[in-house]
């Protein structure tokens, strides 16, 4: 990809050569747009390819074009798309436009392209070069309610479930959306698209400033409103929205009763055994909200005056911009990502009873590496969920869902390999910046920028 070249490996001898594009001897490699033969041609960030035995078809991502290389001649020619012209248009050959073609597949006489920036799957007739849109209208940003692909989302972040429905934080539209799991029907549950604020109320009379995390206790939803630094409560039966804790527009660090407590940029939230646990990001803390008999906020772990990645107990431990949070009933698991000059890419574990904090997996170096414990690498791990024995993490910048076996700390790749929107088996499917992940029964649900995906 970053060498802007197509390389060839002779399987029997492992001999590597450059088939087309910038010669490997150039430093730095030369990118650009140029048709021609072999190393005289130029590519710009080619991200995927497929062959029919005679030709190689290349997703030349940075040039917004699908290219063809004759295997015997090494001649590079365009198939579809207009170089340097990002956009969306169906048509024939150069009349068509792609937004960010990142994945490519071949079936019979058709190519299928994951058009990342357009959130669509495009279809190309190889013989005629006609480009049509196969699927993916749901990926278009918007706020429309509807069923399945007729619905639109605008920057989906977190989600939770009451067992029958998914409730999705649609931050870009300042709303909470509801998806009936059995039918895929999408409705706006609370808030109104395009209008932000701290207003409590019922359904579309309520407003959110920038909803982020969401949790469910079966009867109520709890939403972290990041910009207002508040925790909001939504009664599911009536869609009544109220402010549970914090004061809109007054970020701070104050423990005590929910009416006097203060947060600063709360993000992840989880309900467990009568309590809420909140990743209070800008305070670098994990906060606890005891809902009964009185609503009281306290600090479970972390030290706001000394953020970091120290393992210890309670306030002797430190966090650095904690993000996602989940619980298995005994422990909390927290993701930390890359929001500081000295970032960490960690999965932390907190024993709820003792507040003892340890690092389960990851280290301070961003990257992609499966392995055990701190030998594994993540790049912006965000959403996290648990099935009892395993954690599943939305590893956003790696375009993957990672799996951690809790007992051993072994990290493996569950789904994904590169950016894209292809559905299919775990070795075929591609993801587009997965944000949050939730396990409901035997199904995992994943939010992406403007999608909600399902893994069964």
């Amino acid at each position: 990809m970053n060498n802007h070249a197509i390389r060839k490996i002779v399987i029997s001898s492992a001999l590597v050569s450059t088939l087309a594009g910038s010669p490997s001897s150039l430093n730095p490699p030369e990118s650009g747009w140029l048709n021609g033969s072999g190393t005289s041609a130029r590519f710009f960030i080619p991200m995927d390819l497929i062959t029919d035995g005679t030709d190689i078809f290349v997703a030349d991502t940075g040039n917004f074009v699908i290219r063809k290389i004759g295997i015997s001649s090494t001649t590079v020619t365009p198939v579809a798309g207009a170089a340097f012209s990002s956009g969306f248009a169906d048509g024939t050959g150069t009349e068509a436009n792609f937004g960010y073609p990142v994945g490519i597949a071949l079936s019979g006489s058709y190519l299928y392209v994951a058009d990342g920036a357009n959130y669509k799957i495009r279809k190309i007739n190889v013989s005629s070069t006609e480009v049509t849109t196969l699927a993916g209208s749901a990926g278009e940003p918007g706020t429309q309610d509807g069923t399945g692909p007729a619905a639109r989302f605008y920057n989906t972040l977190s989600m939770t479930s009451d067992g029958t429905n998914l409730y999705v934080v649609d931050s870009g539209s300042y709303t909470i959306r509801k998806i009936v799991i059995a039918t895929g029907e999408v409705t706006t549950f609370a808030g109104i698209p395009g209008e932000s604020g701290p207003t409590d109320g019922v359904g579309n009379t309520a407003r959110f400033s920038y909803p982020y995390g969401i949790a469910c206790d079966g009867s109520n939803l709890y939403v972290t409103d990041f910009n207002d630094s508040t925790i909001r409560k939504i009664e599911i039966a009536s869609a009544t929205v109220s402010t549970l804790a914090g004061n809109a527009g007054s970020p701070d660090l104050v423990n005590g009763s929910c009416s006097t407590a203060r947060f600063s940029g709360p993000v992840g939230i989880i309900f467990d055994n009568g309590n809420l646990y909140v990743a209070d990001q800008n305070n670098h803390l994990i906060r606890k909200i005891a809902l009964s008999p009185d609503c009281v906020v306290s600090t479970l772990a972390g030290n706001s005056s000394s953020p970091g990645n120290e393992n210890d107990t309670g306030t002797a431990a430190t966090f650095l911009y904690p993000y996602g949070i989940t619980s298995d009933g005994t422990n909390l698991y927290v993701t930390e990502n890359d929001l500081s000059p000295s970032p960490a890419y960690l999965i932390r574990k907190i024993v709820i009873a003792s507040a003892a904090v340890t690092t389960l997996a990851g280290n301070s170096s961003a990257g992609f590496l499966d392995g055990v414990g701190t030998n594994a690498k993540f790049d912006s791990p965000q959403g996290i969920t648990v099935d009892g024995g395993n954690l599943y993490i939305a590893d956003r910048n790696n375009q993957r869902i990672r799996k951690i076996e809790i007992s051993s700390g072994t990290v493996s790749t569950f789904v994904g390999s590169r950016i894209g929107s292809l559905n299919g088996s775990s070795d075929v499917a591609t993801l587009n910046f997965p944000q949050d992940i939730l396990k409901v029964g035997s199904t995992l649900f994943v939010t992406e920028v403007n999608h909600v995906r399902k893994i069964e």
Side-chain angles (χ1 to χ4, degrees), residues 100-244:
Y100 199 68
V102 291
I104 190 167
L106 178 69
S107 179
S109 58
Y110 292 94
L111 292 168
Y112 298 90
V113 179
D115 194 4
N118 285 318
Y119 311 103
K120 297 179 184 294
I121 305 301
R122 314 288 292 279
K123 178 180 177 181
I124 306 174
N125 184 314
V126 174
S127 60
S128 70
T129 71
E130 180 185 12
V131 179
T132 56
T133 297
L134 177 69
S137 60
E140 295 177 353
T143 60
Q144 298 97 311
D145 291 337
T147 299
R152 302 288 187 273
F153 296 90
Y154 188 25
N155 194 20
T156 52
L157 290 180
S158 303
M159 58 186 159
T160 191
S161 176
D162 60 8
T164 302
N165 308 295
L166 293 176
Y167 297 92
V168 180
V169 174
D170 198 16
S171 292
S173 68
Y174 312 109
T175 61
I176 307 301
R177 313 290 292 281
K178 174 182 171 181
I179 305 175
V180 180
I181 294 174
T183 65
E185 180 187 8
V186 180
T187 55
T188 299
F189 188 66
I192 193 167
E195 295 189 17
S196 65
T199 308
D200 291 334
V202 178
N204 63 13
T205 68
R207 300 290 182 270
F208 298 87
S209 289
Y210 196 76
Y212 217 107
I214 189 168
C216 180
D217 67 5
S219 301
N220 304 288
L221 302 173
Y222 301 93
V223 179
T224 57
D225 204 348
F226 181 83
N227 281 359
D228 276 334
S229 294
T230 57
I231 312 300
R232 314 288 291 279
K233 176 181 174 180
I234 309 174
E235 183 182 274
I236 293 175
S238 64
T240 300
V241 180
S242 59
T243 299
L244 177 72

Side-chain angles (χ1 to χ4, degrees), residues 280-403:
D280 193 7
Q281 189 174 80
N282 293 340
N283 280 324
H284 310 288
L285 301 176
I286 305 302
R287 312 284 292 281
K288 175 183 175 181
I289 305 176
L291 295 174
S292 64
D294 299 310
C295 189
V296 177
V297 179
S298 59
T299 296
L300 178 70
N303 186 334
S304 64
S305 63
S306 181
N309 309 118
E310 293 296 321
N311 293 320
D312 211 314
T313 300
T315 56
T318 59
F319 291 84
L320 189 63
Y321 295 105
Y323 188 92
I325 188 169
T326 194
S327 172
D328 63 8
T330 303
N331 308 294
L332 299 175
Y333 301 93
V334 179
T335 62
E336 290 179 286
N337 57 41
D338 56 353
L339 297 178
S340 80
S342 301
Y345 306 86
L346 306 178
I347 312 301
R348 311 288 292 281
K349 173 183 173 181
I350 308 172
V351 180
I352 296 174
S354 65
V357 180
T358 54
T359 297
L360 181 65
N363 56 60
S364 60
S365 176
F368 169 71
L369 184 65
D370 289 335
V372 178
T374 56
N375 290 322
K377 292 182 184 294
F378 299 85
D379 191 353
S380 194
Q382 303 209 342
I384 185 169
T385 194
V386 64
D387 69 0
N390 302 290
L391 296 169
Y392 299 89
I393 293 107
D395 193 5
R396 187 178 188 274
N397 289 349
N398 279 322
Q399 316 298 341
R400 289 170 168 87
I401 303 301
R402 311 288 290 282
K403 176 181 175 181

